[in-house]
Amino acid sequence: KQEVTQIPAALSVPEGENLVLNCSFTDSAIYNLQWFRQDPGKGLTSLLLIQSSQREQTSGRLNASLDKSSGRSTLYIAASQPGDSATYLCAVMYVGGFKTIFGAGTRLFVKA
Amino acid sequence: DAGVIQSPRHEVTEMGQEVTLRCKPISGHDYLFWYRQTMMRGLELLIYFNNNVPIDDSGMPEDRFSAKMPNASFSTLKIQPSEPRDSAVYFCASSLDNSNQPQHFGDGTRLSIL
């Protein structure tokens, strides 16, 4: 079964810390992997999309890596800020269906 | 540019009533997706369209659910008859293509069936 798992489910850090969110997936045959941010009562905002042929993507303080062989991706957030507090979701598009499977998310709280 | 627009933002109705959710995708996007989000099951894909044609509806939970896309700028998700277990947040998303471009989400419709 094609699944996406995110660890930890919740994380609380003091402002300024660097942090890593983890995502694992069960099948290496993927088209892409996306990281999204979701604020309470809002839709999802795409942060980074990594194609199957890529190893990482960067945007500002965010860096996402992809290791298909081990079925893992990480989202690195540098110098965290209270405004980074949100739920972060990992989503994988598996080959063979063009369906995107979402993880349950990691709820991040950055304390001022 | 306007993002994906969903209406209504909130819907409260009684069991057995028909519910229609609406979505306007970003202009020029060829793909449109309907998702449902609940605490228990997370975010699930219900159906997606390419150029107004339904491609995969295997996520639609049962025959009470139907979705249409009569033109490139409008889609509906209908539940008839509605049941309390249909209560969830329903999201619509669109993208330029299906594997190389990110999906853009609307703010969702929070549906409560009493």
Side-chain angles (χ1 to χ4, degrees):
Chain A
K1 181 181 177 184
Q2 294 170 332
E3 296 180 338
V4 177
T5 303
Q6 291 188 246
I7 296 173
L11 181 63
S12 180
V13 300
E15 182 178 7
E17 266 202 13
N18 302 325
L19 60 100
V20 174
L21 307 181
N22 296 291
C23 173
S24 61
F25 47 96
T26 53
D27 187 344
S28 62
I30 67 172
Y31 285 116
N32 65 52
L33 183 146
Q34 288 190 104
W35 283 94
F36 290 87
R37 169 185 174 138
Q38 185 174 25
D39 293 285
K42 294 288 188 179
L44 281 68
T45 300
S46 180
L47 298 173
L48 292 165
L49 182 149
I50 311 176
Q51 298 291 348
S52 175
S53 58
Q54 298 173 325
R55 296 298 299 269
E56 66 175 353
Q57 284 285 338
T58 298
S59 176
R61 294 182 293 109
L62 305 180
N63 175 274
S65 68
L66 175 63
D67 184 344
K68 284 194 307 178
S69 62
S70 65
R72 293 181 181 180
S73 175
T74 61
L75 178 67
Y76 175 82
I77 303 177
S80 58
Q81 303 171 357
D84 295 330
S85 299
T87 297
Y88 291 81
L89 294 101
C90 171
V92 175
M93 179 174 286
Y94 286 103
V95 169
F98 287 104
K99 293 175 68 170
T100 300
I101 308 296
F102 282 81
T106 293
R107 184 177 297 177
L108 173 65
F109 180 63
V110 181
K111 298 171 287 186
Chain B
D1 285 342
V4 175
I5 300 173
Q6 292 187 245
S7 64
R9 287 297 316 276
H10 304 274
E11 174 89 14
V12 180
T13 191
E14 292 187 345
M15 175 179 172
Q17 297 297 308
E18 178 179 289
V19 173
T20 300
L21 310 181
R22 298 172 175 78
C23 175
K24 177 179 170 55
I26 293 173
S27 178
H29 282 193
D30 292 332
Y31 286 84
L32 182 139
F33 309 84
W34 281 102
Y35 291 92
R36 178 171 69 177
Q37 187 175 42
T38 61
M39 289 294 292
M40 290 296 294
R41 300 173 67 90
L43 199 63
E44 302 173 286
L45 177 67
L46 300 177
I47 185 172
Y48 79 90
F49 295 82
N50 176 215
N51 291 323
N52 313 339
V53 176
I55 302 301
D56 188 337
D57 65 355
S58 60
M60 297 285 263
E62 45 195 280
D63 292 345
R64 297 184 297 105
F65 286 69
S66 63
K68 295 182 179 180
M69 193 165 185
N71 57 63
S73 60
F74 183 65
S75 177
T76 60
L77 178 67
K78 187 173 293 186
I79 308 173
Q80 167 63 22
S82 58
E83 297 183 3
R85 60 192 167 122
D86 302 330
S87 297
V89 181
Y90 291 81
F91 288 104
C92 175
S94 69
S95 68
L96 275 170
D97 70 31
N98 203 11
S99 61
N100 296 313
Q101 298 293 328
Q103 296 180 25
H104 298 263
F105 279 70
D107 283 341
T109 294
R110 183 173 296 274
L111 178 63
S112 297
I113 308 296
L114 306 178

